[in-house]
Amino acid sequence: MLIDAALLGQLIEHAQRDAPNECCGLVALSGGRAVAIYEMENLAASPLRFEVDGAKLAPLLASLEDAGHEAAIYHSHTRSEPYPSQTDVNFARWWPGCEWLIIGLADRDTPVTRSFMIGEAGSIEEREVVIDG
Ligand SMILES: [Zn+2]
């Protein structure tokens, strides 16, 4: 995805604010470009996993879809590499076709953001994150 430095900064700020717990939310995309960020609460309040309120996520996804946007899920890894965990792969089955943006804070001074498509059979394919503007 294409994302400008200001939006990426907002994502990293959210991740740092919720650390050591994982943060989570949605990125609205228009033609592969990030246009808005929707912070969500990690109900699990855990450094190892995140849990979203489906009752809030479903209408948000529907409204993005109505506006002609795609949605990517984002969350942070505060201790491990920004690479999908088995928990993420399991969860991804519920959101096929959704891009997964992971903010890695294992090195607090150098946040690393990576993006992936997670297939229904558990395949993981990295997508480029291009910082633009
Ligand atoms: Zn994860």
Side-chain angles (χ1 to χ4, degrees):
M1 72 172 69
L2 284 170
I3 185 164
D4 69 41
L7 276 184
L8 183 63
Q10 244 179 281
L11 283 177
I12 290 168
E13 191 276 323
H14 183 202
Q16 289 172 332
R17 183 166 14 103
D18 282 9
N21 291 339
E22 292 192 1
C23 74
C24 59
L26 289 183
V27 180
L29 299 165
S30 180
R33 171 184 286 274
V35 292
I37 284 164
Y38 299 88
E39 293 186 6
M40 299 197 75
E41 185 186 354
N42 178 0
L43 296 179
S46 160
L48 301 173
R49 65 191 185 88
F50 73 98
E51 191 182 320
V52 289
D53 183 346
K56 289 183 179 157
L57 182 60
L60 183 54
L61 281 172
S63 72
L64 291 179
E65 198 172 305
D66 286 349
H69 295 314
E70 307 92 64
I73 291 175
Y74 76 85
H75 75 291
S76 59
H77 282 183
T78 55
R79 296 176 180 178
S80 58
E81 289 294 303
Y83 190 83
S85 65
Q86 188 57 50
T87 307
D88 296 334
V89 170
N90 295 344
F91 181 56
R93 285 179 196 147
W94 299 99
W95 308 102
C98 214
E99 195 168 338
W100 280 66
L101 198 67
I102 306 179
I103 303 135
L105 294 181
D107 178 349
R108 291 294 294 269
D109 297 327
T110 315
V112 178
T113 304
R114 295 171 70 184
S115 187
F116 304 88
M117 295 297 295
I118 304 175
E120 284 176 81
S123 62
I124 295 169
E125 186 190 319
E126 185 153 14
R127 289 292 172 93
E128 210 177 358
V129 178
V130 179
I131 300 162
D132 173 47

